[in-house]
Amino acid sequence: MSTDDTAPGPETPVRFDTKIAVLLREDLETWQRLNVTAFLVSGLGSQFPEVIGEPYEDADAVGYLPMFRQPVLVFEGTKETLTKAHARVLSRALPRALFTSDLFTTGNDRDNRAAVKAARTADLDLVGLAVYGPKNAVDKVLKGARMHP
């Protein structure tokens, strides 16, 4: 075992002081859950490069893109749970991404942004929310949500 606390040995579990979490509305179809999750987490790496690990390489030296360095935890909840989580994430000014029901009817980024822009904050029909930040703060935002089955 390593004696250096900053460089854990291979047998030491890695602990993160931050959390990446996605909250999905419980009434989404399976394809919608997958689509929303992918869209929600896509922006984190560009805004927070520290969440991205090193590139991968297999034994034949074929390279692969880097991925998140930590797990993405997926939760679900009612529409009310999402509304409360949204209010909490805004009050804590945590980095967040949202997905509204309108985005299922658009087909491109420009129209997605226009659909969100057309709704007042209180009127957003949220179906998904991603949040990144200190573990305790993210846990408070997600209060009332449950882990996705």
Side-chain angles (χ1 to χ4, degrees):
M1 183 176 323
S2 173
T3 57
D4 179 3
D5 290 336
T6 62
E11 67 282 345
T12 305
V14 176
R15 304 276 186 226
F16 298 99
D17 58 352
T18 58
K19 185 180 271 190
I20 300 170
V22 172
L23 174 58
L24 302 171
R25 203 165 74 192
E26 65 187 0
D27 61 347
L28 296 180
E29 295 181 39
T30 301
W31 74 266
Q32 291 173 317
R33 291 171 186 257
L34 296 169
N35 185 264
V36 170
T37 300
F39 268 94
L40 286 173
V41 299
S42 68
L44 285 176
S46 66
Q47 296 298 306
F48 302 96
E50 69 271 14
V51 302
I52 303 296
E54 296 297 320
Y56 287 75
E57 184 177 277
D58 66 24
D60 294 320
V62 175
Y64 302 93
L65 294 172
M67 296 185 284
F68 289 129
R69 67 182 179 94
Q70 66 190 88
V72 175
L73 302 172
V74 182
F75 296 81
E76 69 175 5
T78 64
K79 184 175 183 171
E80 294 75 27
T81 302
L82 235 74
T83 300
K84 289 177 183 175
H86 185 241
R88 289 185 200 116
V89 78
L90 294 178
S91 73
R92 288 172 172 74
L94 291 172
R96 69 252 171 210
L98 60 76
F99 199 103
T100 66
S101 63
D102 297 330
L103 303 188
F104 290 126
T105 63
T106 59
N108 61 74
D109 188 50
R110 181 192 68 232
D111 292 341
N112 287 349
R113 287 193 316 275
V116 173
K117 182 79 170 168
R120 296 184 54 81
T121 304
D123 298 329
L124 292 167
D125 186 16
L126 298 169
V127 298
L129 183 69
V131 60
Y132 169 68
K135 285 170 81 172
N136 290 344
V138 172
D139 288 342
K140 288 177 183 174
V141 166
L142 297 173
K143 184 178 178 184
R146 59 192 173 279
M147 286 295 291
H148 190 282

